[in-house]
Amino acid sequence: MLSALILWMLSLPAVAVDIMVIDQSTGKTLKDVVLMANDLVLPVTPSGTFSIADFQPLRLRARAHGYQRTEVNLHAGVDEVVMSLKPIRPRAIYLSTYGICSRELREDALALIDQTELNALVIDVKGDRGQELFQTQASDANDTAANANMRKLIQGLKAKGIYLIGRVVVFKDEPLSTRHPEWSVKAPSGKTWRDKEGLGWIDPFQTSAWSHSLGLAEKAADMGFDEIQFDYLRFPDARGLKFSKPNTAEARVNAINAFLDQARRQLQRHNVFISADVFGYVLWNTNDTDIGQQLEAIIARVDYLSPMLYPSGFTWGIPGHPDAAAAPFEVVNHSLLRALERTGVDGVRVRPWLQAFRDYAFDKRVFGAEQIRQQIQAAEALGTDGWMLWNARNRYSSDGLSEP
């Protein structure tokens, strides 16, 4: 019966369907759009529209920088579709796997979103110590139940209109390094190297290890996250380590680029945005900062670049401001300006991490309302795609934040 139905559908005359994607707030046609028909990316015409032969079933999904994703199901007899994308600038706070699972921390975060300009969450899908938010392959009833509960939680957040960013820590992965020492970064002795926290890292040249992080990224996309953000997408910043390939600048950059290229291929069918965290000094250095992060190479492979512009992280300052903690506006604004000048992209392609924790590198000052607001103003002055506040303890207040 099914085969007969398919043959009947194929016998129907093809009908061209014209598709237009517009800005919901202005009604103007958007040209820089990724439009997918089922799992196929459609080419855009010079006029900024799309066209496809009508076949059933057809699921249309669209996304564009600075907008929320959308999708529609195409029905028989339709010859024109207008898809409307809603502008959004994510203004987020970070929650670890513990933070999102803690009722207290989660409810505090949601209350702050209700009361302020915040509209997004960055949630650890895989954290700094390898903690994972869910199982990629549910092997028993308990795992299945845990994943179902997490999917329900994510759906609840989406129902509140919250933009969700899934953070995946890639190469800093103690559990995976322990399970697969053959994939780990090695000390000069040949044994598994561990950083100052006692954590093992994955050798970025070991492509077999990539599937673990990418599998979690795909699962997060399937769960409903709007964006996948890769962190620790770099080589360790330590000297004298041993890798499976020669540790040259070209090889490092190629490894990071190849990971992002693979991520794009695997995540494309999910219609999610991809972002990558980079050190703040990457915006200033023309080399790869000895960790494989080269600004122009990375921004060409992601939807959003997420530089960590914490003033405390600029321990050598920036030109004209040696005490970075005393110049939060200048650190953020000047760093972003340099990135935009170097890459030629619009501000909407960049969304920085901002500091919402006490200084640790200069005078130990508290970063309160004034410092947080200065960072936000510095980012927004350049039209960035929002911003994200980082506090490892997942403790935030309304200090420095505007009302909705």
Side-chain angles (χ1 to χ4, degrees):
M1 175 65 82
L2 182 59
S3 298
L5 177 61
I6 293 174
L7 289 173
W8 176 77
M9 291 174 62
L10 291 175
S11 69
L12 295 176
V15 178
V17 179
D18 294 323
I19 307 162
M20 179 184 297
V21 184
I22 65 171
D23 182 316
Q24 185 182 98
S25 61
T26 66
K28 293 183 178 179
T29 301
L30 297 175
K31 295 186 178 182
D32 187 16
V33 174
V34 175
L35 180 64
M36 302 180 67
N38 293 343
D39 292 338
L40 175 69
V41 177
L42 299 181
V44 63
T45 68
S47 64
T49 61
F50 303 83
S51 183
I52 190 172
D54 182 10
F55 61 91
Q56 305 297 325
L58 186 61
R59 181 188 184 197
L60 296 176
R61 294 176 291 166
R63 67 180 186 273
H65 299 135
Y67 295 86
Q68 291 183 330
R69 305 174 299 162
T70 193
E71 65 178 64
V72 298
N73 290 319
L74 185 63
H75 301 291
V78 174
D79 58 9
E80 183 177 82
V81 176
V82 176
M83 301 181 71
S84 176
L85 296 187
K86 182 180 180 180
I88 185 173
R89 293 292 186 271
R91 300 178 293 274
I93 53 177
Y94 159 76
L95 291 179
S96 64
T97 52
Y98 174 79
I100 190 62
C101 293
S102 162
R103 174 172 292 184
E104 177 190 356
L105 293 176
R106 184 176 68 248
E107 290 184 350
D108 285 350
L110 293 179
L112 204 57
I113 289 174
D114 287 339
Q115 299 161 10
T116 69
E117 62 189 309
L118 295 172
N119 61 2
L121 287 172
V122 181
I123 300 171
D124 272 351
V125 171
K126 178 156 77 84
D128 295 23
R129 293 180 175 270
Q131 318 96 311
E132 297 177 5
L133 191 60
F134 40 70
Q135 299 293 322
T136 53
Q137 293 181 338
S139 57
D140 56 41
N142 290 332
D143 287 344
T144 302
N147 281 355
N149 289 337
M150 186 53 60
R151 186 182 294 274
K152 182 178 180 181
L153 172 59
I154 292 168
Q155 290 174 346
L157 296 174
K158 292 296 296 176
K160 293 177 179 290
I162 299 173
Y163 184 90
L164 296 182
I165 304 167
R167 176 176 176 260
V168 179
V169 172
V170 183
F171 295 125
K172 181 178 180 179
D173 194 329
E174 166 63 23
L176 189 62
S177 173
T178 298
R179 292 198 302 272
H180 291 278
E182 72 277 13
W183 292 343
S184 67
V185 174
K186 301 297 192 299
S189 65
K191 294 183 179 180
T192 295
W193 171 80
R194 284 182 165 77
D195 62 18
K196 294 178 181 179
E197 296 178 285
L199 304 177
W201 285 55
I202 295 298
D203 178 347
F205 293 127
Q206 294 283 355
T207 57
S208 297
W210 296 359
S211 60
H212 183 68
S213 290
L214 292 175
L216 284 165
E218 282 205 82
K219 186 66 176 179
D222 176 67
M223 286 276 192
F225 281 87
D226 298 287
E227 178 177 328
I228 303 300
Q229 179 188 94
F230 294 110
D231 199 1
Y232 284 89
L233 183 65
R234 63 177 177 85
F235 286 69
D237 54 339
R239 303 289 183 178
L241 304 180
K242 297 178 67 175
F243 300 89
S244 56
K245 290 184 178 180
N247 185 23
T248 66
E250 181 180 10
R252 290 191 299 266
V253 171
N254 287 342
I256 301 306
N257 291 348
F259 179 91
L260 286 173
D261 289 341
Q262 182 63 29
R264 175 66 67 189
R265 287 189 291 270
Q266 289 190 214
L267 290 169
Q268 177 174 280
R269 67 186 182 88
H270 296 283
N271 194 41
V272 291
F273 296 103
I274 295 177
S275 58
D277 296 339
V278 299
F279 276 163
Y281 277 123
V282 168
L283 308 191
W284 294 89
N285 298 337
T286 56
N287 61 7
D288 76 324
T289 312
D290 296 331
I291 57 173
Q293 292 186 344
Q294 204 282 326
L295 175 62
E296 288 83 356
I298 289 181
I299 205 167
R301 289 168 167 81
V302 298
D303 295 297
Y304 303 114
L305 184 81
S306 297
M308 297 176 285
L309 300 186
Y310 318 127
S312 292
F314 287 84
T315 51
W316 298 282
I318 63 170
H321 300 280
D323 184 349
F329 180 94
E330 291 78 8
V331 166
V332 173
N333 192 259
H334 295 358
S335 297
L336 289 173
L337 185 61
R338 182 173 176 85
L340 298 181
E341 290 174 344
R342 282 178 57 183
T343 61
V345 303
D346 294 331
V348 73
R349 294 287 307 284
V350 183
R351 187 190 316 119
W353 279 105
L354 306 179
Q355 182 168 338
F357 54 89
R358 181 187 291 269
D359 169 60
Y360 59 79
F362 295 93
D363 58 7
K364 308 297 189 295
R365 72 181 63 196
V366 173
F367 263 59
E370 180 181 356
Q371 291 80 7
I372 290 174
R373 197 68 219 168
Q374 286 184 17
Q375 293 176 89
I376 291 173
Q377 290 172 341
E380 293 185 342
L382 294 174
T384 61
D385 190 70
W387 37 263
M388 300 168 290
L389 298 181
W390 175 274
N391 183 293
R393 296 176 58 245
N394 296 187
R395 298 287 184 182
Y396 304 93
S397 73
S398 61
D399 290 347
L401 300 177
S402 299
E403 295 181 355

